């Protein structure tokens, strides 16, 4: 019945918990009896231990199974967990998804994108994150990146102490920052702005976006908290800047609901938490049917960059990929080959599978730390969004 | 016009395609060298086979829907061939866009049937080059076998019962489909259609019991939504599996209203093209079950996208599949890999002309098809037989109403 030529079987799922000193990283390896090993990276959603424990407890669901049955294995796990997963569950499954695609590519002797409908483009455009305490420092850092060949950047609208300022001061500072960056890099560089879901009131997001619009941002990202889709639909009708969001959404259903609400111009799934490559392909298909483009969220970099590049290579509505100088990060020593962009584009990998391997020795020498995202406050001592 | 208008192929010469075609070829070895079409009279209607050849010797097969006129599809494939020769057939999404975007205007039935048939060949080649079944390129197998249904009918309820029992006896079907109408429905008073049509379903339901699902295909013959609702209500007591194309396919808002009012699950989609039309249908909450046809919706990748959109809207997919053996094979791979697949329309090619067109027919057992283990589709087309029954002109028919106005077919 239902034939497969070979019966490769999963023999083990290993997790690796390590740190570059600033934040923790989780890697997943799926081992097979044929010797093929696939690697993946769940989002360090926090708490990391939740993901490690979940992976350990669902491992028996995968061991002994055929790794080429990617959709079946992931659907079976989700169905068995029954309740809609949050970030911990979706990140764990995303890591397994990556590893299964890596195995599939290695088994075929092809880069993963060749198993996703093939190569739609020859290289993958990236934007580089840029920061600066002052407008001048931001401009200087932006210019340095342009000189490295990047054609697109993304920045925060805020200065470091924005939560202690009055709102009108925040607006003025945001405009000064983007003006400085725009003036430094010129008219032809794309510059995205990431509000990072720090605002709750849509009208504040409108005011902030209006203050930035004269400097023509490529998009405004997560202008408000992610939960209430009608706010996004309303904002999209009113903003003069393309609306990007999605890093806080998991699984096909949430993206469908947002897209059906006409609440987004550019969708930004994170392949380490949205459910993985297979889920992202489905999300991209829904987006395509609604004239929405895809700009994957990718702050983790490295293996996260790799899976994102394979998706980007294969889908027609990809627009740009987040990038944070993977090759120069401390974290880069966790992998054998931190890919480097050329002229602001990531070349497509040609090795079988994802094309990136773990350096297990370095990982073993880099134990996890206690980390959190911080606890910002407003002047009255109430908790701020981060 | 020759019988198989596009069978003859022109040799590809370098330089006939767009400039820069050979950029960024690193690591790639396969190139399309030719695409040919075989329009074969399957017995009353043509089957349009598409064959793509490569410089590696790997050959892929596909099938275009015989939307009619079939020679227009063959001519379109011949036209598109020049855009694809020299390209790597494994870059399926890219080549699809090259055709779809290159045509600029939304392609419609002839264009999308042509694109679909070509697209199938690319999957067959991609999988054969790796020596794996196509479903392995779609995220793998989510099931072990594929449930199928066949249509049954007769001039009287007794004949329909005989046919249903014969099909179940031969193939073990657990699902069937029939018409909700009595013969000559266009010539009868509507109340007679409402009275006589359900008797066919009633008779088959009594004969097969509750253990067989029975879909009904209204085939978009009813123009008025209120009449469709009356008919759905009339058949509801006999628990149909679904009620297909209750009204014409164009007006999605009326389809959505009908779904809200109909007492049986609403299935539709064979007359919709590409992801955009299905997306509109699904966003309008206008169907319980969608029925894309992989030979005209745009191909396997397009149907996978349609299925993803449907999955996000909690809708199942029951592919429309009245075409030939390659179409059946493509659908089996879709079904093997797609979580929200429900059931596949199927007609075994184990008798008559259809039997000659393949080396080994796929025959349902216990109402299910096995999932093939061979490379590509796992189906071998009997190319030598395709010459035996060349193109014949056909037409779907010409039903009239009592006032001689054209009815829907």
């Amino acid at each position: 019945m239902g034939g497969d030529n070979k019966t490769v079987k999963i023999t083990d799922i290993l997790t690796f918990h390590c740190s570059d000193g600033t934040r923790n990283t989780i890697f997943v390896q799926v081992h097979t009896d044929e010797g093929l090993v696939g690697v993946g990276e769940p989002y360090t959603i926090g708490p990391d231990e939740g993901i490690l424990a979940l992976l350990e407890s669902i491992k028996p669901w995968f061991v002994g199974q055929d790794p080429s049955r990617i959709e079946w294995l992931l659907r079976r796990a989700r169905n068995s967990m029954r309740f809609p997963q949050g970030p911990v569950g979706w990140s764990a499954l995303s890591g397994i998804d990556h590893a299964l695609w890596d195995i599939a590519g290695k088994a075929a002797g092809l880069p993963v994108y060749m198993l996703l409908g093939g190569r739609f483009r020859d290289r993958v455009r990236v934007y580089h994150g840029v920061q600066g305490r002052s407008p001048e420092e931001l401009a200087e850092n932006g210019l340095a990146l342009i000189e490295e060949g990047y054609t697109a950047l993304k920045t925060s609208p805020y200065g470091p102490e924005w939560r202690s300022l009055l709102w009108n001061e925040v607006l003025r500072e945001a405009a000064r920052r983007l003006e400085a960056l725009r003036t430094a890099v010129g008219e032809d560089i794309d510059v995205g702005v990431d509000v990072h879901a720090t605002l709750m009131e849509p009208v504040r997001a409108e005011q902030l976006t209006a203050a930035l619009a004269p400097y023509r941002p490529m998009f405004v990202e997560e202008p408000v908290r992610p939960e209430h889709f009608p706010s996004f639909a309303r904002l999209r009708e009113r903003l003069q800047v393309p609306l990007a969001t999605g890093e806080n959404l998991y699984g096909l259903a949430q993206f469908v609901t947002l897209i059906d609400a006409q609440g987004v111009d550019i969708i930004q799934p994170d392949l380490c938490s949205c459910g993985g490559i297979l889920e992202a392909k489905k999300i991209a298909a829904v987006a395509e049917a609604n004239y929405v483009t895809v700009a994957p969220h990718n702050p983790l970099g490295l293996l996260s960059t790799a899976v994102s590049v394979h998706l980007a290579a294969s889908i027609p509505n990809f627009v740009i990929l987040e990038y944070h100088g993977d090759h120069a990060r401390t974290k880069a020593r966790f992998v054998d080959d931190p890919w480097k962009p050329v002229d602001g584009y990531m070349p497509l990998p040609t090795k079988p599978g994802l094309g990136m391997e773990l350096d297990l020795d370095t990982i073993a020498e880099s134990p996890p730390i206690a980390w959190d995202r911080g606890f910002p406050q407003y002047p009255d001592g109430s908790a701020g969004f981060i | 016009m020759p019988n198989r208008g596009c069978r003859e192929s022109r040799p590809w010469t370098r330089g006939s395609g767009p400039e820069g075609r050979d950029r960024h070829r690193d690591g790639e070895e396969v190139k399309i060298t030719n695409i040919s079409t075989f329009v074969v009279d399957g017995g009353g209607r043509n089957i349009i086979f598409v064959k793509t050849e490569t410089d590696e010797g790997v050959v892929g097969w596909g099938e275009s829907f015989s939307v009619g006129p079939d020679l227009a599809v063959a001519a379109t494939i011949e036209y598109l061939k020049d855009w694809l020769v020299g390209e790597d057939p494994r870059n399926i999404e890219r080549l699809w866009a090259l055709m779809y975007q290159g045509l600029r205007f939304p392609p419609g039935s002839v264009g999308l049937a042509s694109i679909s048939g070509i697209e199938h060949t690319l999957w067959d080649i991609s999988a054969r080059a790796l020596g794996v079944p196509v479903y392995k390129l779609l995220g793998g197998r989510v099931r072990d076998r594929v449930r199928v249904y066949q249509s049954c009918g007769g001039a009287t309820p007794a004949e329909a019962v005989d046919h249903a029992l014969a099909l179940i006896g031969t193939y073990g079907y657990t699902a069937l489909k029939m018409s909700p109408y009595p013969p000559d429905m266009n010539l009868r008073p509507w109340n007679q259609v409402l009275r006589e049509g359900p008797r066919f379903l009633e008779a088959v339901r009594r004969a097969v019991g509750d253990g067989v699902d029975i879909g009904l295909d209204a085939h978009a013959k009813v123009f008025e939504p209120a009449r469709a609702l009356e008919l759905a209500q009339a058949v509801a007591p006999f628990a149909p599996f679904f009620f297909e194309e209750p009204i014409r396919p164009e007006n999605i808002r009326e389809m959505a209203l009908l779904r809200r009012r109909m007492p049986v699950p609403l299935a539709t989609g064979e007359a919709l093209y590409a992801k955009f039309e299905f997306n509109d249908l699904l966003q309008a909450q206008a169907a319980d079950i969608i029925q894309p046809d992989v030979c005209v919706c745009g191909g396997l990748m397009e149907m996978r996208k349609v299925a993803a959109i449907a999955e996000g809207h909690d809708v199942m997919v029951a592919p429309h599949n009245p075409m030939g053996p390659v179409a059946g094979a493509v659908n089996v791979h879709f079904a093997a890999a797609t979580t929200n697949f429900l059931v596949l329309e199927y007609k075994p090619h184990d008798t008559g002309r259809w039997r000659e067109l393949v080396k080994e027919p796929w025959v349902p057992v216990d109402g299910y098809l096995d999932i093939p283990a061979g490379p590509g589709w796992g189906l071998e087309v009997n190319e030598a037989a395709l010459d035996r029954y060349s193109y014949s002109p056909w037409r779907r028919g010409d039903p009239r109403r009592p006032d001689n106005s054209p009815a829907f077919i």
Side-chain angles (χ1 to χ4, degrees), chain A residues 1-6 66 68-72 75 78 101 104 108-110 113-123 252-253 256-257 259-260 262 278-279 281-283 285-286 288-291 314-316 348 350, chain B residues 23-28 88 90-94 96-97 101 123 130-133 135-145 275-276 279 282-283 301 304-305 308-309 311-313 337-339 370-375:
Chain A
M1 176 135 331
D4 295 285
N5 295 326
K6 287 174 287 184
D66 174 356
S68 78
R69 302 186 68 183
I70 302 173
E71 171 130 1
W72 184 77
R75 168 64 65 154
R78 271 169 54 204
W101 281 109
L110 290 173
Y113 59 79
M114 290 305 290
L115 305 179
L116 302 174
R119 190 167 51 73
F120 190 84
R121 51 182 51 78
D122 296 336
R123 51 185 190 156
L252 179 63
V256 165
T257 308
I259 290 171
D260 282 4
Q262 300 185 283
L278 194 54
E279 202 74 6
K281 275 288 277 188
K282 294 183 185 180
I283 292 163
V286 172
E288 187 188 356
N290 291 277
Y291 306 150
S314 75
I315 59 171
L348 295 192
T350 53
Chain B
R23 282 182 306 122
H24 307 290
R25 286 284 146 211
D26 42 321
E28 292 179 0
D88 187 327
R90 300 171 302 171
N91 293 329
I92 299 172
E93 181 92 57
R94 179 188 178 87
W96 194 91
Q101 293 169 204
W123 286 105
L130 293 172
V132 300
Y135 66 77
K136 285 245 188 190
L137 304 180
L138 305 173
R141 209 160 43 77
V142 298
R143 51 180 50 82
D144 296 336
R145 51 185 189 155
K275 63 187 87 64
F276 305 107
N279 187 55
L282 291 162
Q283 286 195 353
M301 175 78 86
R304 287 278 290 173
K305 292 182 183 182
I309 299 169
E311 184 186 349
H313 290 87
T338 303
T339 293
D370 269 350
I371 295 169

Side-chain angles (χ1 to χ4, degrees), chain A residues 12-325:
Chain A
D12 205 358
I13 297 179
L14 303 181
T15 53
F16 303 87
H17 198 197
C18 53
S19 177
D20 63 359
T22 62
R23 179 173 174 164
N24 290 338
T25 298
I26 301 171
F27 292 115
V28 178
Q29 271 189 345
V30 175
H31 288 251
T32 65
D33 58 359
E34 295 279 306
L36 289 178
V37 177
V39 297
E41 184 173 1
Y43 203 83
T44 41
I45 209 92
D48 306 339
E49 288 76 7
I51 292 173
L52 296 170
L54 191 144
L55 282 167
E56 188 59 32
S57 74
I58 67 174
K59 185 203 295 190
W61 305 354
F62 294 86
V63 169
Q65 302 294 341
D66 174 356
S68 78
R69 302 186 68 183
I70 302 173
E71 171 130 1
W72 184 77
L73 286 168
L74 296 173
R75 168 64 65 154
R76 182 170 169 264
R78 271 169 54 204
N79 287 6
S80 188
M81 293 192 275
R82 183 160 187 267
F83 286 82
Q85 295 299 297
V88 170
W90 278 111
S91 295
L93 293 176
S94 299
I96 294 176
D97 166 281
H98 305 163
L100 296 176
W101 281 109
D102 194 22
I103 291 168
K106 286 168 175 168
L110 290 173
V112 167
Y113 59 79
M114 290 305 290
L115 305 179
L116 302 174
R119 190 167 51 73
F120 190 84
R121 51 182 51 78
D122 296 336
R123 51 185 190 156
V124 172
R125 190 175 181 220
V126 299
Y127 65 82
H128 201 296
V130 59
Q131 299 170 328
R133 295 188 61 82
S134 64
E136 295 72 28
E137 189 181 301
L138 176 66
E140 204 173 298
N141 292 343
L143 197 55
L145 287 165
I146 300 313
E147 283 162 3
E148 283 182 44
Y150 293 99
T151 63
L153 302 170
K154 187 172 84 181
T155 188
S156 167
Y158 303 127
E161 305 302 329
W162 72 276
R163 286 187 188 82
S164 62
L165 303 178
L166 295 176
W167 180 244
N168 282 339
E169 293 175 312
V170 171
L171 294 179
R172 276 200 301 278
E173 186 182 35
R176 274 200 305 273
R177 291 174 64 85
L178 196 59
E179 181 186 21
L181 183 58
R182 171 59 72 204
T183 305
V185 301
E187 298 292 322
D188 297 338
I189 296 297
D190 286 321
V191 181
V193 175
D194 185 2
V195 183
H196 212 256
T198 47
L199 300 177
M200 199 175 75
E201 315 94 308
V203 67
R204 300 283 172 227
E206 274 185 57
Q207 291 171 333
L208 179 61
T209 306
L212 300 172
Y215 312 106
R216 289 168 308 286
M218 172 167 58
F219 54 74
V220 59
E221 175 174 332
E222 286 198 306
V224 285
R225 299 296 305 159
E227 297 90 347
H228 188 57
F229 293 165
S231 287
F232 281 86
R234 176 181 156 80
L235 275 175
R236 185 174 170 232
E237 286 184 8
R238 299 174 64 90
L239 297 185
Q240 299 303 309
V241 175
L243 197 170
T245 191
E247 70 189 71
N248 272 300
L249 304 183
Y250 322 118
L252 179 63
Q254 290 189 355
F255 285 92
V256 165
T257 308
L258 175 69
I259 290 171
D260 282 4
Q262 300 185 283
V264 60
D265 292 292
I266 303 168
I267 202 88
Q268 301 176 300
D270 190 305
L271 270 71
C272 299
S273 60
C274 79
I277 295 172
L278 194 54
E279 202 74 6
K281 275 288 277 188
K282 294 183 185 180
I283 292 163
V286 172
E288 187 188 356
N290 291 277
Y291 306 150
V292 170
T293 54
V294 183
H297 179 245
N298 176 36
L300 298 187
L302 299 162
L303 210 52
S304 169
T305 296
V307 293
S308 303
V309 163
H310 284 280
L311 177 82
S314 75
I315 59 171
N317 51 333
F318 165 78
V319 60
I320 198 161
L321 172 63
E322 180 171 10
Y323 185 74
H324 293 280

Side-chain angles (χ1 to χ4, degrees), chain B residues 62-63 120 293-295 321-332 344 379:
Chain B
E63 206 182 308
H120 301 164
D293 191 303
V294 81
C295 297
N321 177 41
M323 287 288 104
V326 177
V330 178
N331 275 303
V332 165
L344 172 65
L379 179 83

